[in-house]
């Protein structure tokens, strides 16, 4: 495969465009490109339209047909990725051997990172227009939920790859805060339990989209009542071919740039409830050489006798001098 052509900027406008496409400390929001093969069924065209509606404005949809085979020669896909500055792609194709296929592709550095092929089950397909209710506003982030043991497998497989790709596909741009009023819809993915080893009996992936409705609470409670209403699209997938990421490329894609992690202060940390906790280290102290200040209030009375019954008075020691004279010295 020949490397992609490197463009040298000829003016300031081209330089700004190339700098925007270059690796950055904080990357731009991911753009999804929608393409279709020379043969594309009507079901796939309707599904592409609905997925494009959910992804706007971070989406580009092409109407022209393209003779591309993603798993055989991805060079054309990499060309489209660099040309449109898109790191995600959905490619729709239909053939006798593989009918109603959607291929979800991720890129890193405008090179194919990994791919997964999901076959649409036609009889389960329901479009957005078939649900007669309101639709969400454009550009909102959805709530994403995944259920099923296949998505949580400790060993990487097709379903863990599907979860990772679908999460990147629909999560939208990264934001620090989200307004509660903007949480208007949810996309739920579920996978059936595995009951066989052949391709036909592989667990299916179910995609459902729901509107989130906040209604008045019951009289005995002050909390709002939340209900969900299906808005579409509704579709079931069967897992097909996959192409896992190269380990070296995946390691480079997962690497965090320097300066992204907050600087930690020595011996200062934050606990699970958000309180800042500090640790102080003290050197070894020799209490034998500790200088204390003498105070009258700390002296014991001379009338107090030691508990062992001795005749000595606490705090007073008698010292013998010349003759019968004795002196008391306080210690």
């Amino acid at each position: 495969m020949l490397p992609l052509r490197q463009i040298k900027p000829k003016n300031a406008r081209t330089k700004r465009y190339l700098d925007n496409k270059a690796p950055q400390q904080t990357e731009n929001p991911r753009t999804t490109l929608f393409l279709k093969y020379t043969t594309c069924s009507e079901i796939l065209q309707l599904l592409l339209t609905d997925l494009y509606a959910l992804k706007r404005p971070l989406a580009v949809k092409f109407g022209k047909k393209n003779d591309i085979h993603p798993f055989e020669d991805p060079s054309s896909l990499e060309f489209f990725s660099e040309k449109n500055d898109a790191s995600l792609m959905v490619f729709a194709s239909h053939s006798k051997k593989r009918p109603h296929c959607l291929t979800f592709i991720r890129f890193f550095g405008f090179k194919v990172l990994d791919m997964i092929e999901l076959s649409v089950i036609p009889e389960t397909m329901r479009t957005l227009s078939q649900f007669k209710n309101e639709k969400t506003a454009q550009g909102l982030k959805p709530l994403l939920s995944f259920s099923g043991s296949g998505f949580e497998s400790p060993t990487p497989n097709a379903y863990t790859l599907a979860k990772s790709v679908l999460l990147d596909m629909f999560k939208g741009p990264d934001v620090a805060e989200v307004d509660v009023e903007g949480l208007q819809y949810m996309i739920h993915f579920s996978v059936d339990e595995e009951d066989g080893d052949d391709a036909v009996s592989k667990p299916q992936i179910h995609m459902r989209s729901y509107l989130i409705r906040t209604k008045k609470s019951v009289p005995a409670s002050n909390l709002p009542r939340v209900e969900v209403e299906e808005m579409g699209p509704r579709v079931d997938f069967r897992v097909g071919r996959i192409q896992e990421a190269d380990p070296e490329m995946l390691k480079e894609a997962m690497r965090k740039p320097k300066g992204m992690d907050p600087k930690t202060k020595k011996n200062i940390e934050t606990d699970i409830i958000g309180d800042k906790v500090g640790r102080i280290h003290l050197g070894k102290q020799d209490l034998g050489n500790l200088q204390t200040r003498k105070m009258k209030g700390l002296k014991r009375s001379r009338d107090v006798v030691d508990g062992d019954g001795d005749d000595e008075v606490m705090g007073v020691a008698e010292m013998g001098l010349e003759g019968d004279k004795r002196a008391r010295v306080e210690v």
Side-chain angles (χ1 to χ4, degrees):
M1 185 189 308
L2 296 176
L4 295 177
R5 181 169 57 94
Q6 299 295 329
I7 302 176
K8 294 183 179 180
K10 296 182 179 180
N11 49 44
R13 180 182 178 183
T14 306
K15 188 177 185 303
R16 288 194 300 268
Y17 173 75
L18 293 178
D19 290 342
N20 188 45
K21 291 175 59 177
Q24 301 175 14
Q25 191 81 0
T26 303
E27 292 291 347
N28 300 331
R30 294 186 175 187
T31 302
T32 304
L33 189 62
F34 292 88
L35 297 176
K36 58 184 178 180
Y37 185 54
T38 52
T39 55
C40 184
S41 62
E42 183 180 358
I43 292 176
L44 289 181
Q45 294 185 30
L46 294 174
L47 183 57
L48 281 183
T49 302
D50 290 350
L51 295 179
Y52 173 71
L54 294 179
K55 287 289 297 180
R56 288 185 302 174
L58 300 175
V60 179
K61 185 173 180 291
F62 286 174
K64 186 178 178 180
K65 298 179 180 180
N66 301 274
D67 188 9
I68 301 175
H69 301 273
F71 289 90
E72 298 175 7
D73 183 14
S75 58
S76 299
L77 301 178
E78 294 170 353
F79 169 78
F80 279 110
S81 173
E82 184 181 18
K83 195 72 174 177
N84 298 275
D85 193 15
S87 58
L88 297 170
M89 185 179 294
V90 179
F91 185 76
S93 62
H94 176 71
S95 63
K96 184 178 180 180
K97 186 177 181 180
R98 294 184 176 89
H100 313 294
C101 283
L102 280 184
T103 304
F104 294 86
I105 310 164
R106 287 191 296 188
F107 296 88
F108 174 70
F110 307 119
K111 299 290 184 181
V112 172
L113 178 65
D114 49 17
M115 294 186 288
I116 182 168
E117 186 180 71
L118 300 179
S119 300
V120 177
I121 302 176
E123 54 271 15
T124 64
M125 175 67 184
R126 298 292 184 275
T127 63
L128 278 168
S129 58
Q130 289 180 290
F131 293 90
K132 306 301 181 181
N133 52 13
E134 295 183 9
K135 309 303 177 185
T136 59
Q138 178 179 326
L140 296 179
K141 286 177 65 68
L143 292 172
L144 295 177
S145 62
F146 294 85
S147 62
S149 59
F151 289 138
E152 306 299 332
S153 175
T155 58
N157 54 28
Y159 296 95
T160 57
L161 177 60
K163 178 182 178 181
S164 178
V165 172
L166 293 172
L167 185 62
D168 280 347
M169 184 69 60
F170 293 101
K171 72 176 184 178
D174 295 331
V175 294
E177 298 178 351
V178 178
D179 189 0
V180 179
E181 295 295 331
L183 301 177
Q184 297 185 6
Y185 75 107
M186 176 183 69
I187 302 178
H188 177 69
F189 296 95
S190 61
V191 60
D192 297 334
E193 295 298 328
E194 189 171 1
D195 55 0
D197 296 332
D198 55 336
V200 178
S201 61
K202 280 187 176 180
Q204 297 179 4
I205 297 177
H206 311 281
M207 176 182 175
R208 303 291 185 267
S209 301
Y210 300 96
L211 288 170
I212 299 176
R213 301 292 192 184
T214 305
K215 300 184 178 181
K216 292 183 179 180
S217 61
V218 295
S221 175
N222 294 327
L223 298 177
R225 182 164 53 94
V226 179
E227 296 182 357
V228 292
E229 178 184 351
E230 190 171 2
M231 72 168 189
R234 178 200 299 176
V235 61
D236 292 347
F237 298 104
R238 185 176 290 111
V239 178
R241 295 176 294 177
I242 64 171
Q243 178 178 317
E244 297 182 349
D246 180 71
E248 294 297 329
M249 182 181 291
L250 182 61
K251 181 179 179 181
E252 182 66 19
M254 298 294 290
R255 184 175 61 86
K256 290 185 178 181
K258 295 181 179 179
M260 291 294 292
D261 295 332
K263 294 182 178 180
T264 57
K265 295 183 179 180
K266 191 176 181 180
N267 298 328
I268 296 179
E269 54 188 23
T270 305
D271 57 10
I272 57 176
I273 60 176
D275 294 336
K276 187 179 292 186
V277 180
R279 182 179 299 168
I280 300 176
H281 296 274
L282 298 177
K284 186 177 180 181
Q285 300 182 14
D286 187 4
L287 301 180
N289 298 328
L290 185 64
Q291 180 65 35
T292 59
R293 183 173 296 176
K294 297 179 180 179
M295 298 176 58
K296 286 187 176 182
L298 298 178
K299 295 179 181 178
R300 293 181 179 271
S301 173
R302 292 185 177 132
D303 299 330
V304 178
V305 182
D306 191 23
D308 295 336
D310 298 333
D311 295 337
E312 295 180 354
V313 179
M314 294 298 297
V316 177
E318 294 185 355
M319 297 179 61
L321 301 179
E322 296 180 2
D324 294 335
K325 294 181 180 180
R326 292 181 179 273
R328 289 184 175 89
V329 180
E330 295 181 359
V331 294

